[in-house]
Amino acid sequence: MGQMCRICLQNAENICYLFSENKEAKDILQKIYLCTQTVLQPDKELPDNICSICLKELCDAYNFRTKCITINERFKTYSEQVEQTDKMLFEDDTPNFFSDDSLQATEKDSIIQNNEVNLEENSSLTQSEISTEVTFQCDICTKALKSMSSLSRHKEVMHVKRKYAGKVTGFGANRRYHCTSCSYSTPHSQTLTNHMRRHEGDRPYVCECGKTFTQTSSLAAHQKSHSTTTYFTCSKCGKQFKFAYALKTHLSVHENGKYSCHICQKVLKQKRTWAAHMRRHYNIYNYSCDECGNTFITIAELINHRKRHDKNKTLECHVCSYKTNTKKNLTLHLKRHIGERPYKCDHCENSFLTTNELKMHQRKHTHEKPFPCPSCTQRFAYSSNLNKHMQTLHGVTYKWSDVKLKEKARHPTLPHNRLI
């Protein structure tokens, strides 16, 4: 296929390579697109050349197209020259001006030759000049387009299908589509269509859960909330997120604190966490569980608590087969894979993943036993040992966590002081 023409598929001696970086090849591809609305691309299975015969046919078609789309300008120039010539002929005071037929014929031939030269010069206008001078304007939104076919398609899509009756300003990169209901404008017609749905209440994209959206990107972002896959991971603590904005918000927790508590002097990094911290000081529990009645300070605590009532473990580790129903447990589990143990014991060389594990370990060194038996004088270092003691020795099914929750519920909360 080295000497084969891409257009006529014939072998030829005089060929031109279509996909080089020189100006000639680019002009040929541009002419093919303007004449046929076809974009040629390099292809291993197709020839990359054009023969001299096809190139001549292309030039003829391009010249004919140029003449057609510049007829208005060329005819205007022709009319002005004829009018000027007629004016010169009829306003001349010489009585024998038309007496000599040969002179009249010579003048007319000269005028015709000059007009033909001007027509040829006008027909050789570059495509850039044509595109800026010859435009087709929409009579509804005043948008200017380069061809009649583009204008027809514009009317069909924008004014028939999308029923848009607004205005379009500017041209090319400066073009703006204006909303008919507010001051919003955009350089993209599809973006305007999505915006107009907000005014019309049209939400054509529906999720399986019943929620509706104005555009496909919003639906795709929402569908991630139904998935257990996490796409973004914090490089500092390993916590995973489904959305980029959630990771960006989380990164602020690793920065220096800005908000200080005036009661315990604790410094927090976000205003939201500072407000939740202050509610703990005033025992403000605004959220309660519908199933067990437990109350919580933040909505996040309530959501994590509700997962305990759900027996289906939907969160799965991507490294092993571990499953859980809370993000906190999954985050801790992933840290175990990494081998991160930031909390070290002051009495030995052991280190732990959480402060709770460290506190339980330190009881071995301090011999602290904070869990007393309610029926006898024995005390235990761990709540699990107390539960086992009550079952085996006293024959009572006992759970320290349940007793702690009941005691918490018996204590009345202080007035709900609203933080500003």
Side-chain angles (χ1 to χ4, degrees):
M1 295 190 296
Q3 299 294 324
M4 183 179 291
C5 175
R6 177 73 168 263
I7 309 301
C8 64
L9 301 180
Q10 299 294 326
N11 290 324
E13 294 181 359
N14 297 326
I15 59 174
C16 179
Y17 185 65
L18 289 170
F19 306 108
S20 63
E21 296 296 331
N22 57 43
K23 185 177 183 300
E24 181 182 1
K26 293 181 179 179
D27 291 341
I28 294 173
L29 294 176
Q30 179 71 6
K31 289 179 179 179
I32 293 175
Y33 173 73
L34 293 174
C35 294
T36 66
Q37 298 298 307
T38 303
V39 179
L40 298 184
Q41 299 288 349
D43 194 323
K44 295 181 179 179
E45 299 181 356
L46 296 175
D48 296 334
N49 308 308
I50 184 172
C51 66
S52 58
I53 299 175
C54 293
L55 184 58
K56 183 178 181 303
E57 294 177 355
L58 173 64
C59 292
D60 293 340
Y62 179 77
N63 292 334
F64 179 76
R65 175 184 180 275
T66 304
K67 289 180 181 180
C68 290
I69 64 178
T70 59
I71 182 65
N72 295 332
E73 286 74 13
R74 293 188 292 110
F75 185 76
K76 182 179 179 181
T77 303
Y78 173 80
S79 300
E80 290 176 353
Q81 291 179 354
V82 171
E83 183 180 355
Q84 183 179 3
T85 303
D86 291 341
K87 185 177 180 181
M88 292 173 60
L89 290 174
F90 288 104
E91 292 183 357
D92 199 325
D93 294 332
T94 305
N96 297 326
F97 185 81
F98 294 104
S99 61
D100 191 350
D101 294 337
S102 61
L103 177 61
Q104 183 180 359
T106 303
E107 292 292 340
K108 288 184 177 180
D109 292 341
S110 176
I111 293 172
I112 294 174
Q113 289 177 1
N114 291 334
N115 289 335
E116 290 178 350
V117 170
N118 290 329
L119 290 177
E120 292 178 357
E121 290 177 353
N122 289 332
S123 64
S124 62
L125 290 172
T126 62
Q127 184 60 29
S128 61
E129 293 172 343
I130 295 170
S131 62
T132 56
E133 294 180 3
V134 181
T135 57
F136 299 84
Q137 192 172 46
C138 176
D139 55 356
I140 300 176
C141 65
T142 68
K143 180 178 179 180
L145 298 108
K146 296 182 180 179
S147 64
M148 182 60 70
S149 60
S150 300
L151 177 60
S152 301
R153 184 176 181 276
H154 160 76
K155 287 186 175 181
E156 180 181 357
V157 175
M158 291 298 295
H159 301 300
V160 177
K161 183 179 179 181
R162 300 180 182 176
K163 298 180 180 179
Y164 173 69
K167 288 187 177 181
V168 180
T169 59
F171 186 81
N174 298 323
R175 180 173 293 156
R176 305 288 297 183
Y177 296 83
H178 298 268
C179 176
T180 57
S181 302
C182 66
S183 59
Y184 175 82
S185 65
T186 175
H188 307 290
S189 60
Q190 183 59 49
T191 307
L192 178 64
T193 302
N194 297 335
H195 169 80
M196 294 295 291
R197 293 194 184 113
R198 299 182 180 181
H199 295 295
E200 299 169 358
D202 183 20
R203 305 173 72 87
Y205 304 101
V206 184
C207 179
E208 295 178 354
C209 67
K211 288 188 176 181
T212 57
F213 303 90
T214 58
Q215 49 189 329
T216 53
S217 58
S218 300
L219 174 61
H222 164 76
Q223 287 175 338
K224 288 183 180 180
S225 62
H226 298 298
S227 174
T228 59
T229 306
T230 53
Y231 303 91
F232 305 94
T233 304
C234 177
S235 59
K236 296 184 178 181
C237 65
K239 192 173 183 180
Q240 296 181 326
F241 303 90
K242 294 180 182 178
F243 305 99
Y245 71 85
L247 173 61
K248 184 177 180 180
T249 303
H250 161 78
L251 289 175
S252 62
V253 304
H254 298 292
E255 300 174 357
N256 295 328
K258 301 178 182 178
Y259 303 94
S260 176
C261 174
H262 66 278
I263 298 176
C264 64
Q265 309 305 321
K266 183 176 181 179
V267 179
L268 298 107
K269 302 176 179 65
Q270 298 179 356
K271 188 174 183 179
R272 175 174 54 86
T273 55
W274 171 82
H277 170 79
M278 296 303 296
R279 286 196 291 271
R280 295 185 189 279
H281 282 298
Y282 295 106
N283 294 327
I284 301 176
Y285 296 86
N286 293 331
Y287 305 96
S288 61
C289 178
D290 298 333
E291 297 188 23
C292 63
N294 289 337
T295 56
F296 303 91
I297 294 176
T298 64
I299 186 64
E301 292 177 350
L302 175 60
I303 293 174
N304 290 331
H305 167 78
R306 284 176 176 171
K307 293 177 180 178
R308 297 182 181 180
H309 298 295
D310 186 10
K311 296 182 180 179
N312 297 325
K313 297 181 179 181
T314 57
L315 301 179
E316 183 176 358
C317 175
H318 64 277
V319 179
C320 64
S321 58
Y322 172 80
K323 292 183 178 181
T324 182
N325 51 14
T326 62
K327 285 185 178 180
K328 182 178 180 181
N329 292 342
L330 179 60
T331 302
L332 291 175
H333 173 79
L334 291 173
K335 289 182 178 180
R336 297 184 190 277
H337 283 298
I338 300 174
E340 181 181 358
R341 292 175 174 270
Y343 303 100
K344 296 182 179 180
C345 178
D346 299 333
H347 304 280
C348 62
E349 297 179 353
N350 291 331
S351 58
F352 301 90
L353 184 63
T354 64
T355 55
N356 189 39
E357 292 179 352
L358 174 61
K359 187 183 296 184
M360 293 174 63
H361 164 77
Q362 287 179 337
R363 290 172 189 160
K364 295 181 179 180
H365 301 291
T366 60
H367 304 288
E368 181 184 3
K369 296 181 179 181
F371 302 97
C373 175
S375 301
C376 63
T377 58
Q378 292 193 37
R379 300 178 67 89
F380 301 90
Y382 310 103
S383 60
S384 58
N385 293 342
L386 172 60
N387 298 338
K388 186 177 179 181
H389 165 80
M390 294 294 293
Q391 179 69 35
T392 56
L393 188 60
H394 301 289
V396 178
T397 302
Y398 184 87
K399 286 187 177 180
W400 170 259
S401 58
D402 295 341
V403 174
K404 185 177 180 181
L405 290 174
K406 290 179 181 180
E407 291 180 354
K408 178 180 177 182
R410 282 198 300 266
H411 287 86
T413 58
L414 296 176
H416 290 0
N417 298 327
R418 296 293 181 183
L419 297 178
I420 299 176

